[in-house]
Short mmCIF file of all heavy atoms in Angstrom, two decimals:
data_model
loop_
_atom_site.label_atom_id
_atom_site.label_comp_id
_atom_site.label_asym_id
_atom_site.label_seq_id
_atom_site.Cartn_x
_atom_site.Cartn_y
_atom_site.Cartn_z
N VAL S 72 -12.21 -9.37 6.38
CA VAL S 72 -10.87 -9.36 6.17
C VAL S 72 -10.57 -9.94 4.82
O VAL S 72 -10.94 -10.98 4.45
CB VAL S 72 -10.08 -10.12 7.37
CG1 VAL S 72 -8.57 -10.17 6.95
CG2 VAL S 72 -10.42 -9.61 8.63
N ARG S 73 -9.60 -9.24 4.17
CA ARG S 73 -9.23 -9.72 2.88
C ARG S 73 -7.70 -9.52 2.84
O ARG S 73 -7.02 -8.59 3.42
CB ARG S 73 -9.68 -9.02 1.66
CG ARG S 73 -11.20 -9.04 1.59
CD ARG S 73 -11.64 -9.40 0.26
NE ARG S 73 -13.12 -9.50 0.28
CZ ARG S 73 -13.83 -9.11 -0.68
NH1 ARG S 73 -13.43 -8.38 -1.74
NH2 ARG S 73 -15.18 -9.28 -0.56
N VAL S 74 -7.01 -10.35 2.12
CA VAL S 74 -5.48 -10.35 1.92
C VAL S 74 -5.19 -10.16 0.45
O VAL S 74 -5.81 -10.93 -0.49
CB VAL S 74 -4.80 -11.61 2.41
CG1 VAL S 74 -3.46 -11.63 2.17
CG2 VAL S 74 -5.13 -11.79 3.99
N ALA S 75 -4.37 -9.24 0.10
CA ALA S 75 -3.84 -9.13 -1.28
C ALA S 75 -2.42 -9.24 -1.29
O ALA S 75 -1.77 -8.61 -0.57
CB ALA S 75 -4.24 -7.70 -1.79
N LEU S 76 -2.02 -10.27 -1.99
CA LEU S 76 -0.60 -10.59 -2.01
C LEU S 76 0.26 -9.76 -2.99
O LEU S 76 1.47 -9.84 -3.04
CB LEU S 76 -0.23 -12.06 -2.23
CG LEU S 76 -1.00 -12.95 -1.12
CD1 LEU S 76 -0.86 -14.46 -1.64
CD2 LEU S 76 -0.49 -12.68 0.14
N GLU S 77 -0.40 -8.92 -3.83
CA GLU S 77 0.39 -8.13 -4.73
C GLU S 77 -0.38 -6.87 -4.96
O GLU S 77 -1.67 -6.86 -4.66
CB GLU S 77 0.79 -8.83 -5.93
CG GLU S 77 -0.29 -9.61 -6.79
CD GLU S 77 -1.00 -8.59 -7.87
OE1 GLU S 77 -0.35 -7.70 -8.14
OE2 GLU S 77 -2.04 -8.97 -8.22
N GLY S 78 0.27 -5.88 -5.55
CA GLY S 78 -0.31 -4.49 -5.60
C GLY S 78 -1.58 -4.45 -6.50
O GLY S 78 -2.61 -3.76 -6.13
N ARG S 79 -1.72 -5.22 -7.51
CA ARG S 79 -2.91 -5.10 -8.43
C ARG S 79 -4.11 -5.63 -7.64
O ARG S 79 -5.17 -5.00 -7.76
CB ARG S 79 -2.64 -5.90 -9.66
CG ARG S 79 -1.64 -5.39 -10.72
CD ARG S 79 -1.47 -6.19 -11.97
NE ARG S 79 -0.76 -7.34 -11.47
CZ ARG S 79 0.19 -7.99 -12.15
NH1 ARG S 79 0.62 -7.46 -13.28
NH2 ARG S 79 0.75 -9.12 -11.78
N ALA S 80 -3.88 -6.69 -6.90
CA ALA S 80 -5.08 -7.25 -6.04
C ALA S 80 -5.42 -6.14 -4.98
O ALA S 80 -6.57 -6.07 -4.68
CB ALA S 80 -4.58 -8.61 -5.54
N ALA S 81 -4.49 -5.48 -4.40
CA ALA S 81 -4.80 -4.56 -3.48
C ALA S 81 -5.57 -3.31 -3.97
O ALA S 81 -6.51 -2.86 -3.43
CB ALA S 81 -3.47 -3.95 -2.86
N ILE S 82 -5.27 -2.85 -5.29
CA ILE S 82 -6.09 -1.80 -5.82
C ILE S 82 -7.41 -2.31 -6.18
O ILE S 82 -8.43 -1.60 -6.00
CB ILE S 82 -5.36 -1.37 -7.11
CG1 ILE S 82 -3.92 -0.53 -6.63
CG2 ILE S 82 -6.24 -0.49 -7.97
CD1 ILE S 82 -3.12 -0.17 -7.78
N ALA S 83 -7.51 -3.48 -6.64
CA ALA S 83 -8.97 -4.12 -6.84
C ALA S 83 -9.72 -4.21 -5.59
O ALA S 83 -10.87 -3.88 -5.69
CB ALA S 83 -8.83 -5.52 -7.60
N ALA S 84 -8.93 -4.55 -4.53
CA ALA S 84 -9.85 -4.63 -3.23
C ALA S 84 -10.31 -3.14 -2.75
O ALA S 84 -11.34 -3.11 -2.17
CB ALA S 84 -8.90 -5.28 -2.11
N LEU S 85 -9.61 -2.20 -3.10
CA LEU S 85 -9.95 -0.83 -2.85
C LEU S 85 -11.28 -0.60 -3.35
O LEU S 85 -12.16 0.10 -2.87
CB LEU S 85 -9.04 0.26 -3.19
CG LEU S 85 -7.74 0.31 -2.35
CD1 LEU S 85 -6.75 1.29 -3.15
CD2 LEU S 85 -8.03 0.87 -1.01
N ASP S 86 -11.57 -1.00 -4.54
CA ASP S 86 -12.81 -0.79 -5.29
C ASP S 86 -13.96 -1.69 -4.92
O ASP S 86 -15.12 -1.36 -4.91
CB ASP S 86 -12.62 -0.76 -6.80
CG ASP S 86 -11.65 0.26 -7.32
OD1 ASP S 86 -11.66 1.52 -6.78
OD2 ASP S 86 -10.94 0.03 -8.16
N SER S 87 -13.61 -2.95 -4.71
CA SER S 87 -14.69 -4.04 -4.41
C SER S 87 -14.95 -4.20 -3.00
O SER S 87 -16.09 -4.56 -2.66
CB SER S 87 -14.27 -5.30 -5.10
OG SER S 87 -13.01 -5.71 -4.37
N PHE S 88 -14.01 -4.07 -2.11
CA PHE S 88 -14.20 -4.50 -0.66
C PHE S 88 -14.36 -3.27 0.12
O PHE S 88 -15.08 -3.35 1.21
CB PHE S 88 -12.97 -5.29 -0.17
CG PHE S 88 -13.13 -5.64 1.23
CD1 PHE S 88 -14.13 -6.46 1.69
CD2 PHE S 88 -12.11 -5.35 2.07
CE1 PHE S 88 -14.08 -6.98 3.01
CE2 PHE S 88 -12.12 -5.69 3.44
CZ PHE S 88 -13.15 -6.50 3.74
N ARG S 89 -13.89 -2.11 -0.13
CA ARG S 89 -13.93 -0.86 0.70
C ARG S 89 -13.47 -1.10 2.07
O ARG S 89 -14.36 -1.00 3.01
CB ARG S 89 -15.35 -0.33 0.65
CG ARG S 89 -15.94 0.06 -0.66
CD ARG S 89 -17.30 0.56 -0.54
NE ARG S 89 -17.58 1.45 -1.55
CZ ARG S 89 -18.58 2.41 -1.57
NH1 ARG S 89 -19.43 2.37 -0.60
NH2 ARG S 89 -18.69 3.29 -2.46
N PRO S 90 -12.22 -1.38 2.23
CA PRO S 90 -11.76 -1.67 3.58
C PRO S 90 -11.69 -0.23 4.45
O PRO S 90 -11.58 0.80 3.88
CB PRO S 90 -10.32 -2.04 3.34
CG PRO S 90 -9.87 -1.42 1.96
CD PRO S 90 -11.19 -1.34 1.33
N HIS S 91 -11.88 -0.57 5.68
CA HIS S 91 -11.71 0.68 6.69
C HIS S 91 -10.22 0.91 7.10
O HIS S 91 -9.88 2.00 7.37
CB HIS S 91 -12.56 0.43 7.83
CG HIS S 91 -14.05 0.38 7.54
ND1 HIS S 91 -14.87 1.49 7.29
CD2 HIS S 91 -14.90 -0.69 7.36
CE1 HIS S 91 -16.08 1.24 7.06
NE2 HIS S 91 -16.12 -0.12 7.05
N VAL S 92 -9.57 -0.22 7.20
CA VAL S 92 -8.13 -0.20 7.64
C VAL S 92 -7.30 -1.08 6.55
O VAL S 92 -7.87 -2.18 6.23
CB VAL S 92 -7.96 -0.75 9.06
CG1 VAL S 92 -6.50 -0.70 9.41
CG2 VAL S 92 -8.69 0.10 10.04
N MET S 93 -6.16 -0.61 6.20
CA MET S 93 -5.31 -1.37 5.30
C MET S 93 -3.90 -1.38 5.85
O MET S 93 -3.30 -0.31 6.11
CB MET S 93 -5.32 -0.74 3.91
CG MET S 93 -4.61 -1.53 2.93
SD MET S 93 -4.95 -0.91 1.20
CE MET S 93 -4.55 0.87 1.31
N ILE S 94 -3.42 -2.65 6.15
CA ILE S 94 -1.89 -2.77 6.45
C ILE S 94 -1.21 -2.93 5.20
O ILE S 94 -1.42 -4.00 4.50
CB ILE S 94 -1.70 -3.93 7.52
CG1 ILE S 94 -2.50 -3.56 8.73
CG2 ILE S 94 -0.21 -3.98 7.78
CD1 ILE S 94 -2.55 -4.82 9.72
N LEU S 95 -0.42 -1.98 4.77
CA LEU S 95 0.17 -1.93 3.48
C LEU S 95 1.71 -2.19 3.42
O LEU S 95 2.36 -1.50 4.07
CB LEU S 95 -0.19 -0.67 2.74
CG LEU S 95 0.24 -0.42 1.33
CD1 LEU S 95 -0.28 -1.32 0.39
CD2 LEU S 95 -0.01 1.17 0.99
N ASP S 96 2.02 -3.21 2.74
CA ASP S 96 3.52 -3.38 2.57
C ASP S 96 3.96 -2.65 1.32
O ASP S 96 3.43 -2.67 0.23
CB ASP S 96 3.72 -4.96 2.16
CG ASP S 96 5.28 -5.21 1.92
OD1 ASP S 96 6.02 -4.47 1.89
OD2 ASP S 96 5.61 -6.38 1.73
N LEU S 97 4.86 -1.71 1.55
CA LEU S 97 5.40 -0.72 0.57
C LEU S 97 6.14 -1.46 -0.57
O LEU S 97 6.36 -0.87 -1.60
CB LEU S 97 6.27 0.29 1.13
CG LEU S 97 5.46 1.27 2.16
CD1 LEU S 97 6.48 2.21 2.82
CD2 LEU S 97 4.24 1.99 1.42
N MET S 98 6.57 -2.65 -0.36
CA MET S 98 7.45 -3.42 -1.23
C MET S 98 6.61 -4.61 -1.95
O MET S 98 7.15 -5.62 -2.40
CB MET S 98 8.58 -4.00 -0.59
CG MET S 98 9.51 -2.95 0.03
SD MET S 98 10.07 -1.83 -1.06
CE MET S 98 11.22 -2.69 -2.12
N LEU S 99 5.26 -4.36 -2.24
CA LEU S 99 4.56 -5.32 -2.98
C LEU S 99 5.15 -5.63 -4.33
O LEU S 99 5.62 -4.70 -4.91
CB LEU S 99 3.08 -4.87 -3.05
CG LEU S 99 2.28 -4.77 -1.86
CD1 LEU S 99 0.90 -4.05 -1.98
CD2 LEU S 99 2.00 -6.24 -1.38
N PRO S 100 4.89 -6.82 -4.73
CA PRO S 100 5.36 -7.10 -6.18
C PRO S 100 4.36 -6.61 -7.19
O PRO S 100 3.19 -6.36 -6.85
CB PRO S 100 5.34 -8.71 -6.12
CG PRO S 100 4.48 -9.13 -5.01
CD PRO S 100 4.47 -8.07 -4.00
N HIS S 101 4.85 -6.51 -8.36
CA HIS S 101 3.99 -6.06 -9.60
C HIS S 101 3.71 -4.53 -9.53
O HIS S 101 4.17 -3.71 -10.35
CB HIS S 101 2.82 -6.83 -9.88
CG HIS S 101 3.15 -8.30 -9.97
ND1 HIS S 101 3.93 -8.97 -10.96
CD2 HIS S 101 2.93 -9.40 -9.12
CE1 HIS S 101 4.03 -10.23 -10.84
NE2 HIS S 101 3.46 -10.48 -9.77
N VAL S 102 2.93 -4.16 -8.63
CA VAL S 102 2.62 -2.73 -8.31
C VAL S 102 2.89 -2.50 -6.97
O VAL S 102 2.43 -3.02 -6.05
CB VAL S 102 1.15 -2.48 -8.60
CG1 VAL S 102 0.73 -1.09 -8.22
CG2 VAL S 102 0.71 -2.74 -10.01
N ASN S 103 3.88 -1.46 -6.65
CA ASN S 103 4.41 -1.34 -5.29
C ASN S 103 3.32 -0.67 -4.41
O ASN S 103 2.31 -0.09 -4.79
CB ASN S 103 5.83 -0.70 -5.25
CG ASN S 103 5.73 0.77 -5.79
OD1 ASN S 103 4.73 1.55 -5.58
ND2 ASN S 103 6.72 1.25 -6.41
N GLY S 104 3.62 -0.69 -3.13
CA GLY S 104 2.72 0.00 -2.15
C GLY S 104 2.45 1.46 -2.15
O GLY S 104 1.51 2.06 -1.92
N TRP S 105 3.66 2.13 -2.78
CA TRP S 105 3.44 3.48 -2.94
C TRP S 105 2.39 3.90 -4.03
O TRP S 105 1.57 4.85 -3.87
CB TRP S 105 4.79 4.21 -3.56
CG TRP S 105 5.81 4.09 -2.44
CD1 TRP S 105 6.77 3.29 -2.41
CD2 TRP S 105 5.91 4.92 -1.22
NE1 TRP S 105 7.65 3.48 -1.31
CE2 TRP S 105 7.01 4.46 -0.53
CE3 TRP S 105 5.09 5.91 -0.73
CZ2 TRP S 105 7.46 4.96 0.70
CZ3 TRP S 105 5.55 6.49 0.57
CH2 TRP S 105 6.72 5.95 1.15
N THR S 106 2.16 3.04 -5.04
CA THR S 106 1.25 3.13 -6.13
C THR S 106 -0.17 2.81 -5.43
O THR S 106 -1.22 3.54 -5.62
CB THR S 106 1.50 2.28 -7.28
OG1 THR S 106 2.79 2.54 -7.67
CG2 THR S 106 0.38 2.43 -8.38
N VAL S 107 -0.30 1.88 -4.61
CA VAL S 107 -1.48 1.44 -3.96
C VAL S 107 -1.87 2.59 -3.07
O VAL S 107 -3.13 3.09 -2.99
CB VAL S 107 -1.41 0.15 -3.13
CG1 VAL S 107 -2.68 -0.13 -2.33
CG2 VAL S 107 -1.07 -0.94 -4.22
N LEU S 108 -1.06 3.20 -2.30
CA LEU S 108 -1.26 4.30 -1.46
C LEU S 108 -1.84 5.54 -2.19
O LEU S 108 -2.81 6.19 -1.82
CB LEU S 108 -0.05 4.71 -0.68
CG LEU S 108 -0.20 5.80 0.31
CD1 LEU S 108 -1.32 5.50 1.39
CD2 LEU S 108 1.17 6.14 1.09
N ALA S 109 -1.29 5.76 -3.35
CA ALA S 109 -1.71 6.84 -4.24
C ALA S 109 -3.06 6.69 -4.68
O ALA S 109 -3.93 7.59 -4.66
CB ALA S 109 -0.72 7.13 -5.48
N ARG S 110 -3.42 5.42 -5.04
CA ARG S 110 -4.69 5.06 -5.48
C ARG S 110 -5.74 5.16 -4.27
O ARG S 110 -6.93 5.80 -4.49
CB ARG S 110 -4.86 3.65 -5.99
CG ARG S 110 -6.15 3.16 -6.36
CD ARG S 110 -6.84 3.93 -7.49
NE ARG S 110 -8.15 3.47 -7.73
CZ ARG S 110 -9.28 4.07 -7.32
NH1 ARG S 110 -9.18 5.19 -6.75
NH2 ARG S 110 -10.44 3.65 -7.62
N ALA S 111 -5.35 4.76 -3.06
CA ALA S 111 -6.31 4.91 -1.93
C ALA S 111 -6.55 6.48 -1.55
O ALA S 111 -7.58 6.84 -1.34
CB ALA S 111 -5.53 4.35 -0.67
N ASN S 112 -5.40 7.38 -1.93
CA ASN S 112 -5.72 8.75 -1.67
C ASN S 112 -6.59 9.48 -2.73
O ASN S 112 -7.06 10.56 -2.53
CB ASN S 112 -4.32 9.54 -1.72
CG ASN S 112 -3.69 9.21 -0.18
OD1 ASN S 112 -4.25 8.99 0.80
ND2 ASN S 112 -2.37 9.08 -0.24
N GLU S 113 -6.83 8.73 -3.82
CA GLU S 113 -7.72 9.27 -4.78
C GLU S 113 -9.19 9.00 -4.49
O GLU S 113 -9.98 9.63 -5.10
CB GLU S 113 -7.39 8.59 -6.29
CG GLU S 113 -6.06 9.04 -6.74
CD GLU S 113 -5.65 8.22 -8.05
OE1 GLU S 113 -6.46 7.40 -8.46
OE2 GLU S 113 -4.63 8.54 -8.65
N LEU S 114 -9.42 8.06 -3.68
CA LEU S 114 -10.79 7.79 -3.27
C LEU S 114 -11.49 9.10 -2.58
O LEU S 114 -10.75 9.79 -2.00
CB LEU S 114 -10.82 6.56 -2.37
CG LEU S 114 -10.35 5.26 -2.88
CD1 LEU S 114 -10.19 4.21 -1.77
CD2 LEU S 114 -11.35 4.71 -3.94
N PRO S 115 -12.82 9.15 -2.71
CA PRO S 115 -13.47 10.17 -1.93
C PRO S 115 -13.09 10.01 -0.38
O PRO S 115 -12.92 8.92 0.13
CB PRO S 115 -14.94 9.88 -2.15
CG PRO S 115 -14.97 9.02 -3.35
CD PRO S 115 -13.68 8.30 -3.39
N ARG S 116 -13.06 11.12 0.28
CA ARG S 116 -12.59 11.21 1.65
C ARG S 116 -13.28 10.19 2.50
O ARG S 116 -12.63 9.54 3.44
CB ARG S 116 -12.63 12.63 2.20
CG ARG S 116 -11.84 12.77 3.43
CD ARG S 116 -11.84 14.25 3.89
NE ARG S 116 -11.05 15.13 3.19
CZ ARG S 116 -9.66 15.18 3.45
NH1 ARG S 116 -9.18 14.43 4.40
NH2 ARG S 116 -8.77 16.01 2.74
N ASP S 117 -14.51 10.19 2.48
CA ASP S 117 -15.41 9.18 3.31
C ASP S 117 -15.16 7.60 2.91
O ASP S 117 -15.55 6.79 3.63
CB ASP S 117 -16.88 9.51 3.15
CG ASP S 117 -17.44 9.25 1.79
OD1 ASP S 117 -16.70 9.43 0.81
OD2 ASP S 117 -18.64 9.08 1.72
N ARG S 118 -14.47 7.37 1.86
CA ARG S 118 -14.05 5.99 1.54
C ARG S 118 -12.61 5.62 1.62
O ARG S 118 -12.23 4.42 1.51
CB ARG S 118 -14.39 5.68 0.03
CG ARG S 118 -15.87 5.65 -0.17
CD ARG S 118 -16.27 4.90 -1.53
NE ARG S 118 -15.54 3.73 -1.63
CZ ARG S 118 -14.96 3.29 -2.92
NH1 ARG S 118 -15.18 4.00 -3.96
NH2 ARG S 118 -14.39 2.26 -3.08
N ARG S 119 -11.86 6.58 2.10
CA ARG S 119 -10.33 6.26 2.29
C ARG S 119 -10.10 5.46 3.56
O ARG S 119 -10.50 5.92 4.60
CB ARG S 119 -9.68 7.57 2.26
CG ARG S 119 -9.50 8.33 1.08
CD ARG S 119 -8.71 9.56 1.34
NE ARG S 119 -8.87 10.54 0.16
CZ ARG S 119 -8.71 11.90 0.11
NH1 ARG S 119 -8.17 12.32 1.22
NH2 ARG S 119 -8.91 12.46 -0.83
N PRO S 120 -9.35 4.25 3.31
CA PRO S 120 -9.01 3.50 4.56
C PRO S 120 -7.95 4.15 5.37
O PRO S 120 -7.06 5.00 4.90
CB PRO S 120 -8.55 2.24 3.91
CG PRO S 120 -8.04 2.56 2.59
CD PRO S 120 -8.86 3.79 2.08
N LEU S 121 -7.96 3.88 6.60
CA LEU S 121 -6.75 4.16 7.44
C LEU S 121 -5.67 3.21 6.96
O LEU S 121 -5.75 2.05 6.91
CB LEU S 121 -7.02 4.04 8.93
CG LEU S 121 -5.95 4.03 9.88
CD1 LEU S 121 -5.44 5.38 9.87
CD2 LEU S 121 -6.27 3.52 11.23
N VAL S 122 -4.60 3.83 6.69
CA VAL S 122 -3.44 2.95 6.10
C VAL S 122 -2.30 2.93 7.01
O VAL S 122 -1.72 3.98 7.51
CB VAL S 122 -2.86 3.54 4.71
CG1 VAL S 122 -1.77 2.78 4.16
CG2 VAL S 122 -4.03 3.68 3.62
N ILE S 123 -1.88 1.61 7.35
CA ILE S 123 -0.65 1.45 8.28
C ILE S 123 0.33 0.89 7.18
O ILE S 123 0.22 -0.18 6.72
CB ILE S 123 -1.05 0.42 9.34
CG1 ILE S 123 -2.15 0.95 10.23
CG2 ILE S 123 0.20 0.14 10.15
CD1 ILE S 123 -2.73 -0.09 11.16
N GLU S 124 1.35 1.73 7.12
CA GLU S 124 2.44 1.43 6.13
C GLU S 124 3.59 0.61 6.82
O GLU S 124 3.97 0.85 7.93
CB GLU S 124 3.13 2.59 5.53
CG GLU S 124 2.17 3.60 4.97
CD GLU S 124 2.78 4.92 4.51
OE1 GLU S 124 3.94 5.10 4.67
OE2 GLU S 124 1.99 5.83 4.12
N ARG S 125 3.93 -0.50 6.16
CA ARG S 125 4.99 -1.42 6.55
C ARG S 125 5.88 -1.67 5.48
O ARG S 125 5.54 -1.62 4.38
CB ARG S 125 4.45 -2.66 7.15
CG ARG S 125 3.67 -2.67 8.42
CD ARG S 125 4.52 -2.24 9.57
NE ARG S 125 3.79 -2.21 10.72
CZ ARG S 125 4.02 -1.16 11.68
NH1 ARG S 125 5.06 -0.35 11.48
NH2 ARG S 125 3.42 -1.17 12.72
N ASP S 126 7.18 -1.87 5.77
CA ASP S 126 8.13 -2.23 4.78
C ASP S 126 8.88 -3.54 5.22
O ASP S 126 9.52 -3.45 6.30
CB ASP S 126 9.21 -1.14 4.56
CG ASP S 126 10.19 -1.34 3.46
OD1 ASP S 126 10.70 -2.48 3.45
OD2 ASP S 126 10.54 -0.51 2.71
N ARG S 127 8.88 -4.60 4.54
CA ARG S 127 9.33 -5.86 4.95
C ARG S 127 10.83 -5.72 5.31
O ARG S 127 11.30 -6.48 6.04
CB ARG S 127 8.92 -7.04 4.05
CG ARG S 127 9.84 -7.14 2.89
CD ARG S 127 9.38 -8.19 1.95
NE ARG S 127 8.74 -7.47 0.86
CZ ARG S 127 8.04 -8.06 -0.15
NH1 ARG S 127 7.96 -9.43 0.00
NH2 ARG S 127 7.55 -7.49 -1.13
N HIS S 128 11.49 -4.95 4.56
CA HIS S 128 12.90 -4.81 4.67
C HIS S 128 13.14 -4.09 6.10
O HIS S 128 14.26 -4.60 6.82
CB HIS S 128 13.67 -3.97 3.64
CG HIS S 128 13.52 -4.55 2.28
ND1 HIS S 128 14.07 -5.70 1.99
CD2 HIS S 128 12.75 -4.26 1.19
CE1 HIS S 128 13.84 -6.10 0.77
NE2 HIS S 128 12.96 -5.16 0.28
N LEU S 129 12.46 -3.23 6.51
CA LEU S 129 12.63 -2.66 7.88
C LEU S 129 12.18 -3.67 8.94
O LEU S 129 12.86 -3.83 9.98
CB LEU S 129 11.79 -1.43 8.10
CG LEU S 129 12.19 -0.10 7.28
CD1 LEU S 129 11.26 1.00 7.47
CD2 LEU S 129 13.65 0.27 7.75
N LEU S 130 11.17 -4.44 8.66
CA LEU S 130 10.72 -5.38 9.62
C LEU S 130 11.90 -6.54 9.86
O LEU S 130 11.88 -7.10 10.90
CB LEU S 130 9.44 -5.98 9.17
CG LEU S 130 8.20 -5.10 9.20
CD1 LEU S 130 7.01 -5.75 8.69
CD2 LEU S 130 7.92 -4.53 10.68
N LEU S 131 12.56 -6.76 8.75
CA LEU S 131 13.53 -7.86 8.89
C LEU S 131 14.86 -7.26 9.28
O LEU S 131 15.93 -7.95 9.44
CB LEU S 131 13.70 -8.50 7.45
CG LEU S 131 12.51 -9.35 7.06
CD1 LEU S 131 12.79 -9.82 5.61
CD2 LEU S 131 12.20 -10.47 7.90
N GLY S 132 14.95 -5.96 9.69
CA GLY S 132 16.17 -5.38 10.14
C GLY S 132 17.19 -5.03 9.06
O GLY S 132 18.28 -4.67 9.22
N ARG S 133 16.71 -4.93 7.78
CA ARG S 133 17.50 -4.50 6.71
C ARG S 133 17.39 -3.10 6.39
O ARG S 133 16.32 -2.46 6.64
CB ARG S 133 17.14 -5.30 5.42
CG ARG S 133 17.44 -6.83 5.59
CD ARG S 133 17.13 -7.47 4.25
NE ARG S 133 16.54 -8.85 4.56
CZ ARG S 133 15.93 -9.54 3.76
NH1 ARG S 133 15.54 -9.09 2.47
NH2 ARG S 133 15.52 -10.70 4.11
N ALA S 134 18.39 -2.47 5.78
CA ALA S 134 18.16 -1.09 5.33
C ALA S 134 17.23 -0.99 4.17
O ALA S 134 17.11 -1.93 3.28
CB ALA S 134 19.66 -0.45 4.78
N VAL S 135 16.55 0.16 4.14
CA VAL S 135 15.62 0.35 3.05
C VAL S 135 16.43 0.68 1.76
O VAL S 135 17.38 1.37 1.78
CB VAL S 135 14.68 1.57 3.41
CG1 VAL S 135 13.71 1.98 2.28
CG2 VAL S 135 13.83 1.41 4.64
N ARG S 136 15.92 0.27 0.70
CA ARG S 136 16.57 0.46 -0.62
C ARG S 136 16.54 2.03 -0.87
O ARG S 136 15.60 2.66 -0.64
CB ARG S 136 15.82 -0.16 -1.72
CG ARG S 136 15.92 -1.65 -1.61
CD ARG S 136 15.16 -2.30 -2.84
NE ARG S 136 14.85 -3.62 -2.53
CZ ARG S 136 14.13 -4.45 -3.39
NH1 ARG S 136 13.72 -3.93 -4.36
NH2 ARG S 136 13.94 -5.75 -2.98
N PRO S 137 17.60 2.51 -1.41
CA PRO S 137 17.78 4.03 -1.64
C PRO S 137 16.58 4.54 -2.53
O PRO S 137 16.13 5.66 -2.42
CB PRO S 137 19.07 4.23 -2.31
CG PRO S 137 19.84 2.99 -1.88
CD PRO S 137 18.82 1.91 -1.64
N ARG S 138 16.01 3.72 -3.57
CA ARG S 138 15.09 4.09 -4.37
C ARG S 138 13.78 4.57 -3.74
O ARG S 138 12.97 5.29 -4.25
CB ARG S 138 14.88 3.05 -5.56
CG ARG S 138 14.21 1.96 -5.17
CD ARG S 138 14.11 0.97 -6.33
NE ARG S 138 13.33 -0.21 -6.08
CZ ARG S 138 12.15 -0.45 -6.17
NH1 ARG S 138 11.42 0.42 -6.65
NH2 ARG S 138 11.72 -1.64 -5.82
N LEU S 139 13.57 4.11 -2.51
CA LEU S 139 12.37 4.36 -1.79
C LEU S 139 12.32 5.89 -1.37
O LEU S 139 11.24 6.53 -1.49
CB LEU S 139 12.21 3.50 -0.46
CG LEU S 139 11.76 2.12 -0.67
CD1 LEU S 139 11.73 1.47 0.65
CD2 LEU S 139 10.35 1.93 -1.36
N ALA S 140 13.51 6.49 -1.09
CA ALA S 140 13.39 7.88 -0.82
C ALA S 140 12.96 8.70 -1.85
O ALA S 140 12.27 9.70 -1.66
CB ALA S 140 14.84 8.26 -0.37
N ALA S 141 13.19 8.32 -3.09
CA ALA S 141 12.79 9.14 -4.21
C ALA S 141 11.12 9.14 -4.30
O ALA S 141 10.57 10.01 -4.71
CB ALA S 141 13.33 8.58 -5.58
N HIS S 142 10.63 7.98 -3.93
CA HIS S 142 9.03 7.92 -4.01
C HIS S 142 8.40 8.85 -2.99
O HIS S 142 7.25 9.29 -3.14
CB HIS S 142 8.58 6.52 -3.81
CG HIS S 142 9.00 5.59 -4.91
ND1 HIS S 142 8.19 5.81 -6.05
CD2 HIS S 142 9.82 4.63 -5.06
CE1 HIS S 142 8.70 4.75 -6.91
NE2 HIS S 142 9.57 4.16 -6.35
N ARG S 143 9.13 9.14 -1.77
CA ARG S 143 8.53 9.99 -0.80
C ARG S 143 8.60 11.38 -1.11
O ARG S 143 7.84 12.19 -0.47
CB ARG S 143 9.34 9.54 0.54
CG ARG S 143 8.90 8.17 1.04
CD ARG S 143 9.64 8.05 2.32
NE ARG S 143 9.32 6.64 2.70
CZ ARG S 143 9.91 5.81 3.58
NH1 ARG S 143 11.01 6.49 4.23
NH2 ARG S 143 9.67 4.78 3.80
N GLU S 144 9.38 11.88 -1.91
CA GLU S 144 9.55 13.32 -2.22
C GLU S 144 8.45 13.83 -3.23
O GLU S 144 7.74 13.33 -3.79
CB GLU S 144 10.95 13.55 -2.91
CG GLU S 144 12.02 13.29 -1.91
CD GLU S 144 13.41 13.38 -2.59
OE1 GLU S 144 13.45 13.67 -3.73
OE2 GLU S 144 14.39 13.10 -1.95
#
């Protein structure tokens, strides 16, 4: 198990640790979770982790920021 507290560390972990499952906060600082997810999807199919996406704003009962919708399109 490894923990990455920001997006750059999460991307580095994809290359060095090769996780099977990743619980990903979409609102990571510095490099957001959408960018980390895009990097994970660039990996060869047999190295892609199962990604469980979470957004701390939803977990706290707050509305998602409108700019997130633009990343999903």
Side-chain angles (χ1 to χ4, degrees):
V72 174
R73 297 228 178 139
V74 175
L76 299 178
E77 54 93 14
R79 291 179 292 223
I82 289 173
L85 285 172
D86 294 327
S87 64
F88 180 59
R89 295 180 149 196
H91 294 280
V92 177
M93 182 167 56
I94 300 172
L95 179 62
D96 180 356
L97 298 175
M98 302 302 293
L99 286 169
H101 306 293
V102 176
N103 66 33
W105 294 107
T106 304
V107 176
L108 182 59
R110 174 65 183 103
N112 285 330
E113 292 173 359
L114 293 171
R116 194 173 281 278
D117 64 332
R118 286 199 45 218
R119 289 181 196 162
L121 171 65
V122 178
I123 301 168
E124 300 170 11
R125 293 287 181 220
D126 183 317
R127 79 181 108 188
H128 296 292
L129 289 175
L130 294 174
L131 295 174
R133 297 183 213 159
V135 178
R136 295 181 197 177
R138 69 184 179 93
L139 282 179
H142 290 286
R143 292 186 179 159
E144 296 174 3

